[in-house]
């Protein structure tokens, strides 16, 4: 296997493109998964891994819901193929950078793990807590894919902070709050009307109360993002400041969608856009985290001086 990979070297540019394609594919599977739920097709294939007890593909009797659910399952294979291609590229790339191969392995194996959680959601009749876990598993794979993409462009030198330690801590806190917003968002979804199937249960939380908790966590995230923006500007960290500005813009757009969908009684189109926005918020938050540090190249060791020619000494 190693000899075969050595015969087909992969450039850094191709590896980076594949890693970026993996991010796009995993965001896409979140959006199509949302479409399954928003069209009440969550049990279009009522069992897993087969679509029915006697067939791996939907039957005519299952109608459009079966086609939608099966189509989303099929897309998982496409996402897996991209992840596998990225893994092979990471193996073939020379010189191999530290961290690239483990991250590509994590992305590749994260996809079947996410698919298994999706299967469990079907087998538990779309239990809202398991559905939320399915979404969060996809977020974890997206985060790993983003880390892989960033690592493919970095040298193998040491990681150096480019902002003071208190601001790095503030960035980590913002990331943690961003993750909490995603988690609470799954609770809101589990209490709302889009169960994925008319017979699916809800989590029992009061939709209005948990939506208020979610809104409060979003306001906290916005406040931290504004603080990051001004703090980075104060210390002259231009790259980090731009990343914080992008994060704030994405959060404001996501917030507008969230409020409009709430006051218009959660139309499916806006809920789907909100799910896509959640992916963008995660990516923008990670972008801020990466902007607080950089990995620098190790200077090449100087070549040894040539040995002096021996000098003959006369008798």
């Amino acid at each position: 296997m190693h000899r075969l990979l050595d015969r087909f070297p992969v450039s850094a540019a191709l590896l980076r493109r594949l890693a970026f394609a993996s991010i796009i594919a995993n965001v896409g599977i979140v959006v199509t998964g949302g479409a399954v739920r928003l069209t009440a097709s969550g049990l279009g294939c009522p069992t897993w891994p087969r679509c029915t007890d006697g067939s791996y593909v939907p039957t005519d009797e299952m109608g459009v819901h079966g086609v939608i659910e099966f189509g989303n399952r099929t897309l998982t294979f496409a996402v897996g193929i991209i992840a596998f291609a990225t893994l092979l590229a990471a193996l073939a790339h020379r010189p191999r950078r530290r961290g690239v191969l483990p991250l590509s392995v994590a992305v590749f194996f994260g996809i079947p793990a996410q698919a298994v959680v999706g299967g469990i959601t079907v087998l538990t009749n779309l239990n809202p807590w398991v559905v939320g876990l399915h979404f969060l598993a996809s977020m974890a794979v997206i985060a790993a894919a983003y880390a892989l993409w960033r690592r493919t462009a970095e040298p193998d030198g040491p990681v150096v902070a480019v902002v003071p330690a208190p601001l790095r801590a503030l960035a980590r806190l913002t990331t943690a709050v961003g993750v909490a917003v995603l988690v609470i968002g799954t609770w809101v979804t589990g209490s709302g009307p889009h169960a994925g199937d008319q017979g699916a249960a809800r989590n029992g939380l009061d939709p209005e109360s948990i939506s208020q908790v979610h809104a409060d966590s979003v306001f906290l995230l916005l406040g931290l993002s504004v603080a990051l923006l001004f703090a980075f500007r104060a210390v002259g960290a231009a790259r980090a400041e731009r990343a914080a500005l992008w994060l704030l813009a994405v959060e404001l757009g996501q917030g507008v969608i969230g409020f409009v969908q709430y006051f218009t009684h959660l139309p499916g189109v806006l809920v789907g856009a909100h799910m896509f926005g959640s992916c963008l918020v995660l990516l923008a938050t990670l972008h801020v985290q990466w902007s607080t540090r950089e990995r620098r190249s190790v200077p090449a060791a100087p070549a040894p001086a040539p040995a002096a020619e021996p000098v003959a000494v006369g008798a």
Side-chain angles (χ1 to χ4, degrees):
M1 180 68 172
H2 287 290
R3 291 181 180 178
L4 180 62
L5 291 173
D6 288 339
R7 290 179 59 186
F8 300 97
V10 171
S11 67
L14 176 57
L15 176 59
R16 185 164 173 78
R17 291 190 191 101
L18 286 170
F20 189 70
S22 192
I23 296 175
I24 295 175
N26 280 284
V27 171
I29 203 72
V30 170
V31 175
T32 59
V36 171
R37 181 167 57 83
L38 295 170
T39 57
S41 303
L43 293 179
C45 289
T47 188
W48 187 87
R50 296 185 177 188
C51 194
T52 68
D53 289 334
S55 175
Y56 282 97
V57 298
T59 61
D60 294 338
E61 293 77 10
M62 300 171 68
V64 67
H65 294 308
V67 173
I68 293 173
E69 164 65 3
F70 181 74
N72 186 63
R73 294 186 185 188
T74 304
L75 284 175
T76 301
F77 290 99
V79 178
I81 289 171
I82 295 174
F84 184 63
T86 307
L87 174 58
L88 290 179
L91 286 168
H93 178 62
R94 297 291 186 276
R96 188 177 296 166
R97 292 179 176 142
R98 291 193 304 270
V100 169
L101 184 57
L103 284 169
S104 61
V105 170
V107 173
F108 176 66
F109 284 102
I111 292 168
Q114 183 259 17
V116 169
V117 177
I120 295 173
T121 66
V122 173
L123 298 177
T124 56
N125 293 318
L126 305 183
N127 181 290
W129 301 106
V130 183
V131 172
L133 181 61
H134 186 42
F135 172 78
L136 295 176
S138 294
M139 293 293 104
V141 176
I142 290 173
Y146 179 83
L148 172 62
W149 177 67
R150 291 301 297 257
R151 186 67 188 92
T152 58
E154 295 178 331
D156 260 343
V159 175
V160 179
V162 297
V163 299
L167 297 191
R168 298 199 305 274
L170 181 59
R172 289 192 291 270
L173 176 61
T174 304
T175 301
V177 173
V179 172
V181 167
L182 292 176
V183 173
I184 298 171
T186 66
W187 302 347
V188 176
T189 299
S191 70
H194 297 293
D197 185 80
Q198 294 180 353
R202 303 285 72 203
N203 60 21
L205 299 175
D206 177 60
E208 184 173 350
S209 298
I210 196 61
S211 294
Q212 183 61 58
V213 172
H214 184 55
D216 292 341
S217 66
V218 169
F219 285 130
L220 175 58
L221 180 60
L222 284 168
L224 291 171
S225 301
V226 171
L228 276 176
L229 177 63
F230 284 102
F232 289 151
R233 179 175 299 176
V235 299
R239 185 166 64 94
E241 180 188 344
R242 287 193 299 270
L245 184 60
W246 273 109
L247 173 61
L248 186 60
V250 171
E251 289 169 349
L252 289 173
Q254 176 75 334
V256 169
I257 294 173
F259 277 107
V260 172
Q261 72 168 3
Y262 180 79
F263 289 109
T264 55
H265 307 292
L266 304 176
V269 172
L270 288 182
V271 174
H274 199 57
M275 293 184 68
F276 176 65
S278 296
C279 299
L280 296 184
V281 169
L282 173 65
L283 292 171
T285 304
L286 295 174
H287 181 46
V288 169
Q289 192 68 49
W290 252 261
S291 72
T292 64
R293 35 79 82 197
E294 65 181 18
R295 193 180 291 270
R296 295 178 179 170
S297 301
V298 177
E309 292 291 335
V311 178
V313 180

